[in-house]
């Protein structure tokens, strides 16, 4: 019998079931042959009914993380930690407490032209320039809204030619910044040092349970 659990997302419960050992082995192999995006999409769709490529980046990251950790039985995890004083100890991590960053629409404005960008999708950070182009949604010119999809290739080239490089980088950073994160209070019982250990981004969480 497959292990079933619930993913809480946007105040809704998503019924899910754990992926199999064979899925895990194939996912691990897919990281080596550059097919992880396609494989994880198939696994998430089968186990949750969700299409991660239709979701905002941090929400898709959260679904992948919760599915991954529940499937491995690691939703409650103990991580090894070494204090600056040299003391080694374990810290308990409850991944149910992971926070999802909010996303925002972004705009670029040049005189009478305004360009609207949708929030980034999962894996858009693999190519910054492509993420910039994919997130372009519409322009507002002289109070007229025009979808990017309605522009010709030449019009798109003309539009891109007026965008300053620094502005593009700034928008890319804003689009790709939202992610998943968790802060764990840590106190050393030898030296008394206290701080909050931060885990940020999907890769950071998955590496914890490798």
């Amino acid at each position: 019998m497959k292990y079933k659990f619930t993913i809480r997302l946007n105040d809704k419960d998503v019924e899910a079931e754990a992926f199999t050992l064979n899925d895990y082995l194939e996912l691990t192999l897919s990281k080596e042959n550059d097919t992880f995006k396609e494989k994880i999409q198939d696994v998430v769709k089968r186990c949750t009914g969700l299409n991660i490529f239709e979701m905002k980046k941090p929400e898709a990251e959260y679904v992948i993380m919760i599915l991954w950790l529940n499937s491995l039985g690691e939703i409650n995890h103990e991580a090894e930690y070494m204090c600056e004083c040299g003391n080694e100890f374990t810290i308990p991590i409850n991944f149910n407490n992971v926070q999802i960053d909010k996303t925002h629409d972004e705009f670029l404005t040049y005189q009478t032209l305004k360009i609207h960008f949708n929030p980034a999708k999962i894996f858009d950070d693999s190519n910054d320039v492509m993420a910039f182009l994919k997130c372009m949604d519409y322009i507002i010119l002289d109070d007229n809204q025009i979808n990017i999809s309605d522009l010709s290739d030449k019009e798109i080239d003309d539009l891109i030619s007026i965008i300053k490089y620094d502005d593009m980088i700034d928008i890319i950073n804003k689009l790709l910044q939202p992610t998943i994160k968790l802060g764990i209070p840590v106190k050393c019982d030898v030296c008394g040092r206290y701080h909050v250990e931060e885990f940020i981004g999907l890769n950071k969480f998955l590496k914890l349970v490798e």
Side-chain angles (χ1 to χ4, degrees), residues 112-131:
T112 61
L113 171 67
K114 180 178 287 188
I115 309 171
H116 172 262
F117 295 84
N118 285 322
K121 304 292 187 182
I122 187 75
F123 304 127
D124 278 351
D125 52 359
S126 61
N127 186 317
D128 289 353
V129 175
M130 187 58 66

Side-chain angles (χ1 to χ4, degrees), residues 56 103-110 112-121 131-141 144-149 151 159 162-163 171-172 175:
K56 296 175 182 178
T103 58
H104 304 279
D105 291 0
E106 300 292 343
F107 288 90
L108 263 181
T109 302
Y110 293 106
T112 61
L113 171 67
K114 180 178 287 188
I115 309 171
H116 172 262
F117 295 84
N118 285 322
K121 304 292 187 182
F132 181 83
L133 297 175
K134 284 176 62 178
C135 292
M136 290 176 65
D137 182 29
Y138 62 80
I139 64 173
I140 298 175
L141 181 62
N144 295 314
Q145 180 174 313
I146 306 170
N147 293 331
I148 297 297
S149 59
L151 299 178
L159 174 62
I162 69 172
I163 298 175
I171 287 291
I172 289 172
L175 291 171

Side-chain angles (χ1 to χ4, degrees), residues 149-160:
S149 59
D150 292 332
L151 299 178
S152 67
D153 290 344
K154 183 180 183 307
E155 288 171 329
I156 292 176
D157 288 341
D158 290 342
L159 174 62
I160 293 173

Side-chain angles (χ1 to χ4, degrees), residues 5-195:
F5 55 96
T6 300
I7 301 175
R8 187 71 175 172
L9 183 67
N10 295 329
D11 296 325
K12 295 181 179 180
D13 290 333
V14 177
E15 299 302 321
E17 64 180 31
F19 56 64
T20 65
L21 175 59
N22 188 58
D23 287 329
Y24 175 72
L25 295 175
E26 290 183 357
L27 284 166
T28 302
L29 180 62
S30 71
K31 293 180 181 180
E32 301 175 4
N33 58 29
D34 201 29
T35 58
F36 181 75
K37 297 177 186 178
E38 294 77 15
K39 182 60 182 176
I40 193 63
Q41 180 192 26
D42 291 342
V43 171
V44 171
K45 181 70 174 178
R46 173 162 44 82
C47 294
T48 70
L50 299 173
N51 185 341
I52 56 174
F53 290 146
E54 294 178 352
M55 305 170 67
K56 296 175 182 178
K57 173 177 170 283
E59 294 172 358
E61 290 177 339
Y62 180 78
V63 168
I64 292 172
M65 182 208 66
I66 293 295
L67 173 61
W68 194 284
L69 296 172
N70 272 285
S71 297
L72 299 185
E74 290 279 5
I75 200 66
N76 290 294
H77 179 75
E78 288 192 344
E80 296 296 325
Y81 179 80
M82 176 176 285
C83 181
E84 292 179 353
C85 72
N87 180 36
E88 287 189 58
F89 54 98
T90 59
I91 54 176
I93 301 176
N94 184 340
F95 291 106
N96 284 315
N97 295 325
V98 168
Q99 301 296 308
I100 306 174
D101 282 341
K102 291 186 177 181
T103 58
H104 304 279
D105 291 0
E106 300 292 343
F107 288 90
L108 263 181
T109 302
Y110 293 106
Q111 297 179 354
T112 61
L113 171 67
K114 180 178 287 188
I115 309 171
H116 172 262
F117 295 84
N118 285 322
K121 304 292 187 182
I122 187 75
F123 304 127
D124 278 351
D125 52 359
S126 61
N127 186 317
D128 289 353
V129 175
M130 187 58 66
F132 181 83
L133 297 175
K134 284 176 62 178
C135 292
M136 290 176 65
D137 182 29
Y138 62 80
I139 64 173
I140 298 175
L141 181 62
D142 298 327
D143 295 326
N144 295 314
Q145 180 174 313
I146 306 170
N147 293 331
I148 297 297
S149 59
D150 292 332
L151 299 178
S152 67
D153 290 344
K154 183 180 183 307
E155 288 171 329
I156 292 176
D157 288 341
D158 290 342
L159 174 62
I160 293 173
S161 69
I162 69 172
I163 298 175
K164 298 177 182 178
Y165 178 77
D166 288 346
D167 290 338
M168 181 180 72
I169 295 301
D170 181 58
I171 287 291
I172 289 172
N173 289 336
K174 289 178 179 178
L175 291 171
L176 297 180
Q177 185 177 37
T179 187
I180 52 176
K181 58 185 62 173
L182 177 66
I184 304 294
V186 177
K187 183 176 181 179
C188 177
D189 57 7
V190 173
C191 70
R193 180 175 180 267
Y194 173 87
H195 80 292

